[in-house]
Structures are given as C-alpha cells and as structure tokens.
Amino acid sequence: MTAPGTAPTPCDGIPRRLLDAPSPAELERYLLTPATEAWSQRDWVQLRVLAVGRMQSPALTRETRLRWGHLALSAISEMARSQTPEQTTADSARVRAYLILEFGVSDSDAARDLPELCSEILGNLGVSLEAAERLAADWRSAPGEQMLRLRRIKNMLTPLLPLQALLKKGGPALQETRDWMRLIPDLP
C-alpha cells in the first residue's frame, strides 16, 4: 500500500528510481540499508529479473554488466529462503555460467570461479552418479519425487553446457562435473 498522493512502484519494496537507474550504484547502496528487510519474495524476484536483463545488455560496459551480475546473485541468495537448495543452485549456476562465458574464469571473482561453481553444484546433487544413472535409466516409470530429483539435477548441470571446453582444463571437481554432464540427455 502506498501513501495517498504517491505513485505506486511495480513492487512495494523497490523504489521506481532504482528500477529505472541505468547504473547499479544506487541500488547497491540501497541493498545495504535496513529497507530491504521488508522486501517480499516478489521484490527479490523482480530484482533478479532486472539484474539478469541488465547483465546481458551489450549496451552497458563490462564493469557495469559484472556489477549487475553480482546483484542478480545477491537477489538469488535472498530468494533462497523460499526455495530448495537445488533451485537456488540452479538459479545461481545460470547467472555464474553466463558471467564465466561472457567475461572469463576468475580466481579473484567468486561469481566467476569455475571450480567453486562445479563444487557447489556437485555438493547439491544429493545422490551418487551411479545412483543417478540407475534412476535415469527408468525415470519415466519412477515416482514423481524421483523424477523431480532428476529434473533438479538436470537444472543444476545444464547451465554448464556452454562451458564444456573450460571444464577440460581443471582438477577433480571439473572432471567429476564432466562425468555428471554426460547424464544430462538421459534426465527428464
């Protein structure tokens, strides 16, 4: 609800001036204030959508796009309260994989740390590769809960498909991720 005489914002928690700003600077400062404690899930989703769109805008500078990517990850982190860890990991993986694909792998930027991303995904798969292979072989007749588990695995792994060439240059987490990615076509 907005006060009489004021224009409503698209979401109650995010002031319009922040949604319309081309630079993320003011929004970044705003996120450090207590005002965001009252934000609803809808507000965080709106921020994620806005930030992902701006992150992908070729009209913006590299630095600005990276900052929007970090804002998208902040929104996803806040959305985690109402999602499963697998959903949050899949959302985060999509943004991080995009950042890596567009701006390269970075040891100094956690959002673009490919081994860390792979480790995070592997840590949220919830089953061994062998168990997942057995479940995937007969997923069409599996109970709904098993199908959903397999679908969430696919959602976490699929963002890495454009990064396959980068996965060939790495340690154990990247090798294990490559092994898992072979299962993607067999998942619901």
Side-chain angles (χ1 to χ4, degrees):
M1 187 66 103
T2 57
T6 62
T9 59
C11 283
D12 295 330
I14 305 176
R16 177 168 290 287
R17 74 180 193 287
L18 299 177
L19 295 173
D20 294 338
S23 168
E26 190 176 354
L27 187 52
E28 289 166 337
R29 285 190 298 275
Y30 187 80
L31 290 177
L32 298 174
T33 70
T36 59
E37 292 172 12
W39 279 15
S40 68
Q41 181 71 3
R42 185 174 148 208
D43 296 323
W44 290 109
V45 169
Q46 184 179 23
L47 174 59
R48 184 201 67 209
V49 169
L50 172 73
V52 166
R54 299 260 171 93
M55 166 189 82
Q56 295 174 340
S57 174
L60 300 174
T61 67
R62 170 189 167 89
E63 178 188 327
T64 300
R65 291 174 66 199
L66 282 166
R67 288 170 66 187
W68 280 111
H70 284 268
L71 282 172
L73 292 170
S74 293
I76 290 166
S77 177
E78 290 294 331
M79 292 166 48
R81 291 179 271 151
S82 64
Q83 293 183 323
T84 67
E86 297 86 1
Q87 289 168 313
T88 300
T89 300
D91 284 347
S92 176
R94 282 189 289 275
V95 170
R96 292 174 69 186
Y98 178 85
L99 291 173
I100 292 167
L101 187 62
E102 284 291 307
F103 306 110
V105 175
S106 173
D107 294 337
S108 61
D109 179 0
R112 295 184 293 137
D113 185 332
L114 184 56
E116 178 55 35
L117 172 57
C118 291
S119 294
E120 183 180 325
I121 291 169
L122 293 170
N124 281 287
L125 294 173
V127 295
S128 70
L129 178 57
E130 295 76 21
E133 288 169 335
R134 284 192 302 277
L135 292 171
D138 196 27
W139 70 263
R140 286 174 181 79
S141 62
E145 183 177 306
Q146 285 181 359
M147 278 192 243
L148 180 59
R149 170 180 266 177
L150 292 171
R151 183 60 184 188
R152 287 186 171 152
I153 290 170
K154 185 175 187 173
N155 289 344
M156 287 185 279
L157 293 170
T158 299
L160 299 176
L161 286 172
L163 304 177
Q164 288 185 61
L166 296 173
L167 291 170
K168 292 179 182 174
K169 308 171 189 170
L174 276 62
Q175 174 58 51
E176 186 177 353
T177 301
R178 286 195 314 269
D179 294 343
W180 271 94
M181 289 176 67
R182 287 191 205 76
L183 188 59
I184 290 173
D186 299 327
L187 298 171

